[in-house]
Amino acid sequence: MLNYQTLRPFIFKTNPETAHTIIEFLSKIAPKIPAFLPFLSYKNCLKDSILMQEIDGMRFYNPVGLAAGFDKNAKMIELLCALGFSHLELGAVTPLAQSGNDKPRLWRHIEEESIQNAMGFNNEGMSMVNAYLKNLFPFVVPLGVNIGKNKITSQEESLKDYLTLARNFAQSSDYLSVNLSSPNTPNLRDLQNINFIQELFSSLCQVYTKPIYLKIAPDLEIDFALSLIEAAIKSGAKGIIATNTTLDYSLVARPQDRGGISGKVLASKSREMLKQIALYLKNTNQKTTLISVGGISNAQEAYTRIRLGANLVQVFSALIFEGPSLVKQINLDLKNFLERDGFNHIGEAVGVDLCN
């Protein structure tokens, strides 16, 4: 029987963005095929009490979610849920639809099992995405929306974009992820400053009552990153998502000259950022949700992140390189790791490897 690793060389002969469009099309027709999604769910969804958590009022039946960027327009929710994800982060979504940057803008680094993208927040806009979400919400797993400003929005008007998005998704999402860290929208990372973050989260919390998380870049100096995190938490953020893609092009042999890199090569940077954030929160006695993303491709890496303080993990690039059975395999192995190490519940493992 053909498995994904056998098919992968043929899939990788296709342009990356074309391949993604095909997946989006298959996701559209999948719910119309009798018994297909229940069969996928039976094969991929692992439910075990050792993996279940309630975090910020949301129930997660395992710790593995989908990172933002894969399902930008909320068109693949049912198929992705059937692959075993405990939560889906959709987007990034902007107030107005935008086409994104010029093509080509998505590249595979096959030897490094990594992806480079310069997409530029291409999406159908909040009205269309909200319409898709309202047809499904509330859903069987938490649905988050990653929000970002439009390219044409000036820095001075950025706050209005984020507030508009928060109001729009107040009744059709379980949480928001604030994206100030994508490298593909001009000057967006400049908004990663204390004054803007304080104003932003204070304002967002007045219009959106569910959890709001800050997603940060992996390339920040750690002291600066911690100052931003402190400002976000004091202004109402429920947690931190670490990290977005990196601009460190030395990580791959043949980088493009634009866009952010994700995948296995990001693992070390993302892991270290998580560790420093978790240590800081521990030492300052702040209980804050941590979601680790970046370079997680197997259960060992996921378990390492959990033991370093992550409550949840997210994957994206690994799904492309490992295939649709990835989430089930991670969860099966995580269960075994937890039992091997004497834990009765995943929450007991969170942060056990932290030391000063």
Side-chain angles (χ1 to χ4, degrees), residues 30-41:
K32 301 175 183 178
I33 303 173
F36 179 64
L37 289 181
F39 173 74
L40 274 186
S41 297

Side-chain angles (χ1 to χ4, degrees), residues 295-306:
I296 298 171
S297 60
N298 54 50
Q300 184 58 63
E301 186 63 35
Y303 191 44
T304 297
R305 305 293 177 93
I306 290 164

Side-chain angles (χ1 to χ4, degrees), residues 69-91:
F70 193 88
D71 189 4
K72 292 176 178 293
N73 295 307
K75 291 184 175 181
M76 299 187 251
I77 292 173
E78 291 165 293
L79 179 63
L80 290 166
C81 181
L83 296 184
F85 287 106
S86 69
H87 64 286
L88 305 173
E89 190 166 309
L90 311 164

Side-chain angles (χ1 to χ4, degrees), residues 101-120:
N101 296 324
D102 294 338
K103 299 179 182 180
R105 55 190 182 180
L106 185 63
W107 304 270
R108 305 182 188 99
H109 296 288
I110 296 174
E111 292 179 3
E112 294 98 337
E113 295 192 18
S114 297
I115 299 291
Q116 187 166 350
N117 93 83
M119 302 299 286

Side-chain angles (χ1 to χ4, degrees), residues 9 28-29 58 60 69 72 80 92 166 177 179 189 201 210 314 333 352:
K28 184 178 180 180
I29 64 173
M58 298 174 282
F60 299 88
K72 292 176 178 293
L80 290 166
S177 167
N179 195 333
R189 287 190 171 188
F201 277 89
K210 300 170 189 177
Q314 294 179 341
D333 291 344
V352 296

